[in-house]
């Protein structure tokens, strides 16, 4: 079963990509920003779900609030 939100996410890039490659890949999506405090790329989708880019996995993962 596929993730219905996956198509709405910015294009993921290869795991381990450089910071420059990540910045270039996410530059065209106004929902994506670099969080300097955590040192990660983040986005909030149209449904209000917060995602974080896991560069080691090359994938967007949900941010879990506790």
């Amino acid at each position: 079963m596929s993730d219905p939100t996956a198509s709405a996410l910015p294009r993921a890039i290869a795991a381990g990509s450089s910071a420059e490659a990540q910045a270039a890949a996410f530059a065209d999506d106004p929902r994506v920003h670099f969080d300097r405090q955590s040192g990660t790329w983040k986005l909030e989708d149209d449904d209000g779900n917060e995602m974080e880019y896991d560069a080691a996995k090359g994938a967007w993962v949900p941010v879990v609030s506790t």
Side-chain angles (χ1 to χ4, degrees):
M1 186 168 167
S2 66
D3 181 358
T5 61
S7 62
L9 296 176
R11 175 179 63 92
I13 56 177
S17 294
S18 69
E20 293 82 11
Q22 292 172 26
F26 306 140
D28 293 335
D29 193 324
R31 303 171 301 167
V32 178
H33 69 279
F34 188 77
D35 184 334
R36 291 180 186 207
Q37 187 173 16
S38 66
T40 59
W41 293 96
K42 294 193 175 190
L43 76 89
E44 185 174 329
D45 68 16
D46 297 333
D47 295 327
N49 301 308
E50 190 174 354
M51 305 290 283
E52 182 174 270
Y53 188 72
D54 184 329
K57 294 179 181 177
W60 289 98
V61 294
V63 174
V64 180
S65 299
T66 56

Short mmCIF file of all heavy atoms in Angstrom, two decimals:
data_model
loop_
_atom_site.label_atom_id
_atom_site.label_comp_id
_atom_site.label_asym_id
_atom_site.label_seq_id
_atom_site.Cartn_x
_atom_site.Cartn_y
_atom_site.Cartn_z
N MET A 1 0.85 -1.17 0.00
CA MET A 1 0.00 0.00 0.00
C MET A 1 0.89 1.23 0.00
O MET A 1 1.83 1.36 0.77
CB MET A 1 -0.88 -0.02 1.24
CG MET A 1 -1.89 1.07 1.28
SD MET A 1 -3.04 0.63 2.63
CE MET A 1 -3.86 2.13 2.78
N SER A 2 0.62 2.19 -0.85
CA SER A 2 1.46 3.37 -0.95
C SER A 2 0.99 4.45 0.02
O SER A 2 -0.15 4.48 0.46
CB SER A 2 1.44 3.92 -2.38
OG SER A 2 0.15 4.37 -2.70
N ASP A 3 1.92 5.34 0.36
CA ASP A 3 1.64 6.45 1.27
C ASP A 3 0.94 7.55 0.49
O ASP A 3 1.51 8.08 -0.47
CB ASP A 3 2.96 6.95 1.86
CG ASP A 3 2.79 8.09 2.84
OD1 ASP A 3 1.65 8.55 3.04
OD2 ASP A 3 3.79 8.54 3.39
N PRO A 4 -0.29 7.92 0.84
CA PRO A 4 -1.02 8.93 0.08
C PRO A 4 -0.38 10.30 0.14
O PRO A 4 -0.58 11.12 -0.74
CB PRO A 4 -2.40 8.95 0.72
CG PRO A 4 -2.21 8.37 2.07
CD PRO A 4 -1.05 7.43 1.97
N THR A 5 0.43 10.58 1.15
CA THR A 5 1.07 11.90 1.23
C THR A 5 2.36 11.95 0.45
O THR A 5 2.90 13.02 0.22
CB THR A 5 1.35 12.28 2.70
OG1 THR A 5 2.25 11.32 3.26
CG2 THR A 5 0.09 12.35 3.52
N ALA A 6 2.90 10.81 0.04
CA ALA A 6 4.19 10.78 -0.62
C ALA A 6 4.22 11.63 -1.89
O ALA A 6 5.20 12.29 -2.18
CB ALA A 6 4.59 9.34 -0.93
N SER A 7 3.14 11.63 -2.66
CA SER A 7 3.13 12.39 -3.90
C SER A 7 3.11 13.90 -3.64
O SER A 7 3.52 14.68 -4.49
CB SER A 7 1.94 12.00 -4.76
OG SER A 7 0.74 12.31 -4.07
N ALA A 8 2.67 14.31 -2.47
CA ALA A 8 2.60 15.72 -2.14
C ALA A 8 3.91 16.25 -1.56
O ALA A 8 4.07 17.43 -1.39
CB ALA A 8 1.46 15.98 -1.16
N LEU A 9 4.84 15.35 -1.27
CA LEU A 9 6.11 15.75 -0.69
C LEU A 9 7.10 16.16 -1.77
O LEU A 9 7.04 15.65 -2.89
CB LEU A 9 6.71 14.61 0.13
CG LEU A 9 5.90 14.19 1.35
CD1 LEU A 9 6.56 12.99 2.01
CD2 LEU A 9 5.75 15.32 2.33
N PRO A 10 8.04 17.04 -1.42
CA PRO A 10 9.09 17.38 -2.38
C PRO A 10 9.89 16.13 -2.74
O PRO A 10 9.96 15.18 -1.96
CB PRO A 10 9.97 18.37 -1.61
CG PRO A 10 9.13 18.86 -0.50
CD PRO A 10 8.17 17.76 -0.18
N ARG A 11 10.51 16.17 -3.86
CA ARG A 11 11.30 15.05 -4.35
C ARG A 11 12.42 14.75 -3.37
O ARG A 11 13.16 15.62 -2.94
CB ARG A 11 11.91 15.43 -5.71
CG ARG A 11 12.86 14.42 -6.29
CD ARG A 11 13.38 14.88 -7.64
NE ARG A 11 14.15 16.11 -7.56
CZ ARG A 11 15.47 16.16 -7.41
NH1 ARG A 11 16.16 15.05 -7.31
NH2 ARG A 11 16.11 17.31 -7.38
N ALA A 12 12.53 13.50 -2.96
CA ALA A 12 13.63 13.07 -2.11
C ALA A 12 14.86 12.88 -3.00
O ALA A 12 14.74 12.56 -4.17
CB ALA A 12 13.27 11.78 -1.40
N ILE A 13 16.02 13.09 -2.42
CA ILE A 13 17.26 12.90 -3.18
C ILE A 13 18.05 11.76 -2.55
O ILE A 13 17.70 11.26 -1.49
CB ILE A 13 18.07 14.20 -3.24
CG1 ILE A 13 18.36 14.74 -1.83
CG2 ILE A 13 17.34 15.24 -4.06
CD1 ILE A 13 19.22 15.97 -1.80
N ALA A 14 19.10 11.36 -3.20
CA ALA A 14 19.88 10.20 -2.76
C ALA A 14 20.38 10.36 -1.33
O ALA A 14 20.80 11.46 -0.93
CB ALA A 14 21.04 9.96 -3.70
N ALA A 15 20.34 9.28 -0.59
CA ALA A 15 20.85 9.28 0.78
C ALA A 15 22.31 9.72 0.78
O ALA A 15 23.08 9.36 -0.11
CB ALA A 15 20.72 7.88 1.38
N GLY A 16 22.67 10.55 1.75
CA GLY A 16 24.04 11.02 1.87
C GLY A 16 24.40 12.16 0.94
O GLY A 16 25.57 12.51 0.84
N SER A 17 23.41 12.75 0.27
CA SER A 17 23.68 13.86 -0.64
C SER A 17 24.23 15.05 0.13
O SER A 17 23.92 15.25 1.30
CB SER A 17 22.42 14.27 -1.38
OG SER A 17 21.99 13.24 -2.23
N SER A 18 25.01 15.86 -0.56
CA SER A 18 25.62 17.03 0.07
C SER A 18 24.57 18.08 0.44
O SER A 18 23.45 18.07 -0.08
CB SER A 18 26.63 17.67 -0.89
OG SER A 18 25.95 18.26 -1.99
N ALA A 19 24.95 18.98 1.32
CA ALA A 19 24.07 20.08 1.72
C ALA A 19 23.68 20.92 0.51
O ALA A 19 22.54 21.38 0.40
CB ALA A 19 24.75 20.94 2.78
N GLU A 20 24.60 21.10 -0.42
CA GLU A 20 24.32 21.88 -1.62
C GLU A 20 23.28 21.19 -2.50
O GLU A 20 22.39 21.84 -3.05
CB GLU A 20 25.61 22.13 -2.42
CG GLU A 20 26.60 23.02 -1.73
CD GLU A 20 27.47 22.29 -0.69
OE1 GLU A 20 27.46 21.03 -0.64
OE2 GLU A 20 28.13 22.99 0.09
N ALA A 21 23.38 19.88 -2.63
CA ALA A 21 22.41 19.12 -3.43
C ALA A 21 21.03 19.17 -2.78
O ALA A 21 20.02 19.30 -3.47
CB ALA A 21 22.86 17.67 -3.58
N GLN A 22 20.98 19.09 -1.45
CA GLN A 22 19.71 19.18 -0.74
C GLN A 22 19.09 20.55 -0.94
O GLN A 22 17.90 20.66 -1.25
CB GLN A 22 19.91 18.90 0.75
CG GLN A 22 20.30 17.47 1.05
CD GLN A 22 20.68 17.29 2.51
OE1 GLN A 22 20.23 18.02 3.37
NE2 GLN A 22 21.51 16.29 2.77
N ALA A 23 19.88 21.60 -0.79
CA ALA A 23 19.37 22.97 -0.96
C ALA A 23 18.82 23.16 -2.37
O ALA A 23 17.76 23.76 -2.56
CB ALA A 23 20.46 23.98 -0.65
N ALA A 24 19.52 22.65 -3.37
CA ALA A 24 19.07 22.78 -4.75
C ALA A 24 17.77 22.01 -4.99
O ALA A 24 16.86 22.49 -5.68
CB ALA A 24 20.15 22.29 -5.71
N ALA A 25 17.66 20.83 -4.40
CA ALA A 25 16.48 19.99 -4.60
C ALA A 25 15.24 20.60 -3.97
O ALA A 25 14.13 20.45 -4.49
CB ALA A 25 16.71 18.60 -4.03
N PHE A 26 15.40 21.30 -2.85
CA PHE A 26 14.25 21.82 -2.12
C PHE A 26 13.98 23.29 -2.38
O PHE A 26 12.99 23.84 -1.88
CB PHE A 26 14.43 21.59 -0.61
CG PHE A 26 14.71 20.16 -0.25
CD1 PHE A 26 15.63 19.84 0.73
CD2 PHE A 26 14.07 19.11 -0.90
CE1 PHE A 26 15.89 18.52 1.07
CE2 PHE A 26 14.33 17.79 -0.58
CZ PHE A 26 15.24 17.49 0.41
N ALA A 27 14.80 23.96 -3.17
CA ALA A 27 14.70 25.40 -3.38
C ALA A 27 13.38 25.84 -4.00
O ALA A 27 12.90 26.94 -3.71
CB ALA A 27 15.86 25.88 -4.26
N ASP A 28 12.78 25.02 -4.83
CA ASP A 28 11.56 25.41 -5.55
C ASP A 28 10.28 25.17 -4.78
O ASP A 28 9.20 25.50 -5.28
CB ASP A 28 11.49 24.69 -6.89
CG ASP A 28 12.58 25.15 -7.84
OD1 ASP A 28 13.07 26.28 -7.70
OD2 ASP A 28 12.95 24.36 -8.74
N ASP A 29 10.36 24.59 -3.59
CA ASP A 29 9.15 24.31 -2.82
C ASP A 29 9.07 25.29 -1.64
O ASP A 29 9.87 25.21 -0.71
CB ASP A 29 9.17 22.87 -2.31
CG ASP A 29 7.81 22.44 -1.78
OD1 ASP A 29 7.10 23.28 -1.18
OD2 ASP A 29 7.46 21.26 -1.95
N PRO A 30 8.12 26.21 -1.67
CA PRO A 30 8.03 27.22 -0.60
C PRO A 30 7.66 26.66 0.77
O PRO A 30 7.84 27.33 1.77
CB PRO A 30 6.95 28.18 -1.10
CG PRO A 30 6.13 27.37 -2.05
CD PRO A 30 7.07 26.37 -2.68
N ARG A 31 7.21 25.41 0.82
CA ARG A 31 6.87 24.80 2.11
C ARG A 31 8.10 24.32 2.87
O ARG A 31 8.05 24.10 4.07
CB ARG A 31 5.93 23.61 1.90
CG ARG A 31 4.64 23.94 1.19
CD ARG A 31 3.88 22.69 0.85
NE ARG A 31 4.72 21.83 -0.01
CZ ARG A 31 4.47 20.56 -0.29
NH1 ARG A 31 3.40 19.98 0.21
NH2 ARG A 31 5.26 19.86 -1.06
N VAL A 32 9.21 24.15 2.17
CA VAL A 32 10.42 23.60 2.77
C VAL A 32 11.31 24.72 3.29
O VAL A 32 11.52 25.73 2.62
CB VAL A 32 11.21 22.76 1.73
CG1 VAL A 32 12.49 22.22 2.32
CG2 VAL A 32 10.34 21.64 1.19
N HIS A 33 11.82 24.53 4.50
CA HIS A 33 12.78 25.48 5.06
C HIS A 33 13.85 24.72 5.84
O HIS A 33 13.63 23.59 6.26
CB HIS A 33 12.09 26.50 5.97
CG HIS A 33 11.57 25.92 7.24
ND1 HIS A 33 10.37 25.23 7.31
CD2 HIS A 33 12.10 25.87 8.49
CE1 HIS A 33 10.19 24.82 8.55
NE2 HIS A 33 11.22 25.19 9.29
N PHE A 34 15.00 25.35 5.98
CA PHE A 34 16.08 24.74 6.75
C PHE A 34 15.98 25.25 8.18
O PHE A 34 16.01 26.44 8.43
CB PHE A 34 17.45 25.08 6.16
CG PHE A 34 18.57 24.32 6.81
CD1 PHE A 34 18.79 22.99 6.50
CD2 PHE A 34 19.39 24.93 7.74
CE1 PHE A 34 19.80 22.27 7.11
CE2 PHE A 34 20.41 24.22 8.36
CZ PHE A 34 20.63 22.90 8.03
N ASP A 35 15.84 24.33 9.12
CA ASP A 35 15.74 24.68 10.53
C ASP A 35 17.16 24.69 11.11
O ASP A 35 17.78 23.64 11.27
CB ASP A 35 14.88 23.64 11.26
CG ASP A 35 14.65 23.96 12.72
OD1 ASP A 35 15.49 24.66 13.33
OD2 ASP A 35 13.64 23.51 13.27
N ARG A 36 17.67 25.88 11.38
CA ARG A 36 19.04 26.00 11.86
C ARG A 36 19.22 25.40 13.25
O ARG A 36 20.30 24.92 13.59
CB ARG A 36 19.45 27.47 11.89
CG ARG A 36 19.59 28.03 10.50
CD ARG A 36 19.99 29.47 10.54
NE ARG A 36 19.97 30.01 9.20
CZ ARG A 36 20.70 31.02 8.82
NH1 ARG A 36 21.49 31.62 9.67
NH2 ARG A 36 20.63 31.45 7.58
N GLN A 37 18.18 25.42 14.05
CA GLN A 37 18.29 24.86 15.40
C GLN A 37 18.53 23.35 15.37
O GLN A 37 19.37 22.83 16.08
CB GLN A 37 17.04 25.18 16.21
CG GLN A 37 17.16 24.78 17.67
CD GLN A 37 15.97 25.27 18.48
OE1 GLN A 37 14.94 25.64 17.93
NE2 GLN A 37 16.11 25.24 19.78
N SER A 38 17.77 22.65 14.52
CA SER A 38 17.92 21.19 14.44
C SER A 38 18.90 20.77 13.34
O SER A 38 19.34 19.62 13.32
CB SER A 38 16.57 20.53 14.18
OG SER A 38 16.08 20.88 12.90
N GLY A 39 19.21 21.69 12.42
CA GLY A 39 20.12 21.36 11.33
C GLY A 39 19.51 20.46 10.29
O GLY A 39 20.21 19.70 9.62
N THR A 40 18.17 20.54 10.13
CA THR A 40 17.48 19.67 9.18
C THR A 40 16.52 20.47 8.31
O THR A 40 16.10 21.57 8.67
CB THR A 40 16.67 18.58 9.90
OG1 THR A 40 15.71 19.20 10.75
CG2 THR A 40 17.57 17.67 10.71
N TRP A 41 16.15 19.87 7.18
CA TRP A 41 15.12 20.44 6.32
C TRP A 41 13.77 20.02 6.86
O TRP A 41 13.58 18.86 7.22
CB TRP A 41 15.28 19.93 4.88
CG TRP A 41 16.53 20.45 4.25
CD1 TRP A 41 17.73 19.81 4.16
CD2 TRP A 41 16.70 21.71 3.63
NE1 TRP A 41 18.63 20.60 3.52
CE2 TRP A 41 18.04 21.78 3.17
CE3 TRP A 41 15.87 22.81 3.40
CZ2 TRP A 41 18.54 22.89 2.52
CZ3 TRP A 41 16.37 23.91 2.75
CH2 TRP A 41 17.70 23.95 2.31
N LYS A 42 12.83 20.95 6.92
CA LYS A 42 11.49 20.65 7.42
C LYS A 42 10.45 21.23 6.48
O LYS A 42 10.71 22.15 5.72
CB LYS A 42 11.29 21.24 8.82
CG LYS A 42 12.20 20.58 9.84
CD LYS A 42 11.79 20.92 11.23
CE LYS A 42 12.65 20.12 12.20
NZ LYS A 42 12.19 20.22 13.55
N LEU A 43 9.25 20.66 6.57
CA LEU A 43 8.12 21.19 5.82
C LEU A 43 6.84 20.89 6.56
O LEU A 43 6.77 19.96 7.36
CB LEU A 43 8.06 20.64 4.40
CG LEU A 43 7.55 19.22 4.17
CD1 LEU A 43 6.04 19.22 3.98
CD2 LEU A 43 8.21 18.64 2.96
N GLU A 44 5.85 21.71 6.30
CA GLU A 44 4.51 21.45 6.80
C GLU A 44 3.64 21.29 5.58
O GLU A 44 3.55 22.20 4.75
CB GLU A 44 4.01 22.60 7.68
CG GLU A 44 2.67 22.31 8.31
CD GLU A 44 2.24 23.37 9.30
OE1 GLU A 44 3.09 23.99 9.95
OE2 GLU A 44 1.02 23.58 9.41
N ASP A 45 2.99 20.12 5.44
CA ASP A 45 2.18 19.88 4.25
C ASP A 45 0.83 20.59 4.36
O ASP A 45 0.54 21.24 5.36
CB ASP A 45 2.03 18.38 3.96
CG ASP A 45 1.20 17.63 4.98
OD1 ASP A 45 0.48 18.24 5.78
OD2 ASP A 45 1.26 16.37 4.95
N ASP A 46 0.03 20.46 3.33
CA ASP A 46 -1.25 21.17 3.26
C ASP A 46 -2.23 20.75 4.35
O ASP A 46 -3.16 21.47 4.66
CB ASP A 46 -1.88 20.97 1.88
CG ASP A 46 -1.02 21.57 0.78
OD1 ASP A 46 -0.26 22.52 1.06
OD2 ASP A 46 -1.10 21.08 -0.36
N ASP A 47 -2.01 19.57 4.94
CA ASP A 47 -2.89 19.08 6.01
C ASP A 47 -2.36 19.43 7.40
O ASP A 47 -2.93 19.01 8.40
CB ASP A 47 -3.06 17.57 5.90
CG ASP A 47 -3.79 17.17 4.63
OD1 ASP A 47 -4.66 17.95 4.18
OD2 ASP A 47 -3.49 16.09 4.09
N GLY A 48 -1.23 20.16 7.46
CA GLY A 48 -0.66 20.56 8.74
C GLY A 48 0.29 19.54 9.35
O GLY A 48 0.73 19.71 10.48
N ASN A 49 0.63 18.50 8.60
CA ASN A 49 1.58 17.49 9.09
C ASN A 49 2.99 18.01 8.92
O ASN A 49 3.36 18.49 7.85
CB ASN A 49 1.43 16.18 8.32
CG ASN A 49 0.04 15.63 8.44
OD1 ASN A 49 -0.49 15.48 9.53
ND2 ASN A 49 -0.58 15.33 7.30
N GLU A 50 3.81 17.90 9.97
CA GLU A 50 5.19 18.34 9.90
C GLU A 50 6.09 17.17 9.54
O GLU A 50 5.98 16.09 10.11
CB GLU A 50 5.63 18.96 11.22
CG GLU A 50 6.97 19.66 11.12
CD GLU A 50 7.35 20.40 12.38
OE1 GLU A 50 6.54 20.48 13.31
OE2 GLU A 50 8.48 20.89 12.42
N MET A 51 6.96 17.38 8.58
CA MET A 51 7.89 16.35 8.11
C MET A 51 9.30 16.90 8.22
O MET A 51 9.53 18.10 8.15
CB MET A 51 7.60 15.99 6.65
CG MET A 51 6.16 15.57 6.35
SD MET A 51 5.73 13.99 7.05
CE MET A 51 6.53 12.91 5.92
N GLU A 52 10.26 15.97 8.35
CA GLU A 52 11.66 16.32 8.43
C GLU A 52 12.41 15.44 7.44
O GLU A 52 12.11 14.25 7.33
CB GLU A 52 12.16 16.08 9.85
CG GLU A 52 13.59 16.46 10.10
CD GLU A 52 13.93 16.31 11.57
OE1 GLU A 52 13.76 17.29 12.31
OE2 GLU A 52 14.35 15.20 11.95
N TYR A 53 13.37 16.02 6.74
CA TYR A 53 14.13 15.25 5.77
C TYR A 53 15.26 14.52 6.46
O TYR A 53 16.11 15.13 7.11
CB TYR A 53 14.68 16.15 4.66
CG TYR A 53 15.29 15.36 3.54
CD1 TYR A 53 14.48 14.64 2.68
CD2 TYR A 53 16.66 15.30 3.36
CE1 TYR A 53 15.02 13.87 1.66
CE2 TYR A 53 17.21 14.54 2.34
CZ TYR A 53 16.38 13.84 1.50
OH TYR A 53 16.91 13.08 0.50
N ASP A 54 15.28 13.20 6.34
CA ASP A 54 16.34 12.38 6.91
C ASP A 54 17.35 12.14 5.80
O ASP A 54 17.14 11.32 4.91
CB ASP A 54 15.76 11.06 7.43
CG ASP A 54 16.78 10.20 8.13
OD1 ASP A 54 17.98 10.25 7.76
OD2 ASP A 54 16.38 9.47 9.05
N ALA A 55 18.46 12.89 5.85
CA ALA A 55 19.45 12.81 4.79
C ALA A 55 20.12 11.44 4.71
O ALA A 55 20.51 11.00 3.63
CB ALA A 55 20.51 13.90 4.99
N ALA A 56 20.26 10.76 5.85
CA ALA A 56 20.88 9.44 5.84
C ALA A 56 20.02 8.42 5.11
O ALA A 56 20.53 7.51 4.45
CB ALA A 56 21.13 8.98 7.28
N LYS A 57 18.70 8.56 5.21
CA LYS A 57 17.77 7.65 4.54
C LYS A 57 17.36 8.15 3.17
O LYS A 57 16.85 7.39 2.36
CB LYS A 57 16.50 7.47 5.38
CG LYS A 57 16.72 6.78 6.69
CD LYS A 57 15.42 6.67 7.45
CE LYS A 57 15.60 6.01 8.79
NZ LYS A 57 14.34 5.97 9.55
N GLY A 58 17.53 9.46 2.92
CA GLY A 58 17.09 10.04 1.66
C GLY A 58 15.58 10.05 1.56
O GLY A 58 15.01 9.80 0.51
N ALA A 59 14.90 10.33 2.70
CA ALA A 59 13.44 10.28 2.73
C ALA A 59 12.87 11.30 3.72
O ALA A 59 13.54 11.69 4.69
CB ALA A 59 12.99 8.89 3.14
N TRP A 60 11.62 11.70 3.47
CA TRP A 60 10.90 12.56 4.41
C TRP A 60 10.26 11.67 5.47
O TRP A 60 9.67 10.64 5.13
CB TRP A 60 9.81 13.35 3.66
CG TRP A 60 10.39 14.41 2.79
CD1 TRP A 60 10.62 14.33 1.45
CD2 TRP A 60 10.83 15.71 3.19
NE1 TRP A 60 11.17 15.50 0.99
CE2 TRP A 60 11.31 16.36 2.05
CE3 TRP A 60 10.87 16.38 4.41
CZ2 TRP A 60 11.82 17.66 2.08
CZ3 TRP A 60 11.38 17.67 4.45
CH2 TRP A 60 11.84 18.29 3.30
N VAL A 61 10.39 12.06 6.73
CA VAL A 61 9.81 11.29 7.83
C VAL A 61 8.94 12.22 8.68
O VAL A 61 9.24 13.41 8.82
CB VAL A 61 10.90 10.62 8.70
CG1 VAL A 61 11.65 9.57 7.91
CG2 VAL A 61 11.86 11.63 9.26
N PRO A 62 7.87 11.69 9.24
CA PRO A 62 7.00 12.52 10.09
C PRO A 62 7.73 12.95 11.37
O PRO A 62 8.52 12.19 11.92
CB PRO A 62 5.84 11.61 10.44
CG PRO A 62 5.98 10.39 9.62
CD PRO A 62 7.38 10.34 9.09
N VAL A 63 7.45 14.16 11.81
CA VAL A 63 7.96 14.64 13.08
C VAL A 63 6.94 14.25 14.13
O VAL A 63 5.76 14.56 14.02
CB VAL A 63 8.15 16.17 13.08
CG1 VAL A 63 8.54 16.68 14.45
CG2 VAL A 63 9.21 16.57 12.05
N VAL A 64 7.39 13.55 15.14
CA VAL A 64 6.51 13.09 16.20
C VAL A 64 6.68 14.01 17.40
O VAL A 64 7.78 14.15 17.94
CB VAL A 64 6.84 11.63 16.61
CG1 VAL A 64 5.92 11.17 17.72
CG2 VAL A 64 6.73 10.72 15.41
N SER A 65 5.60 14.66 17.80
CA SER A 65 5.63 15.54 18.98
C SER A 65 5.23 14.74 20.19
O SER A 65 4.31 13.94 20.15
CB SER A 65 4.67 16.71 18.78
OG SER A 65 5.05 17.47 17.66
N THR A 66 5.91 15.01 21.30
CA THR A 66 5.56 14.30 22.53
C THR A 66 4.96 15.26 23.54
O THR A 66 5.06 16.42 23.47
CB THR A 66 6.79 13.64 23.17
OG1 THR A 66 7.79 14.62 23.37
CG2 THR A 66 7.28 12.52 22.30
#
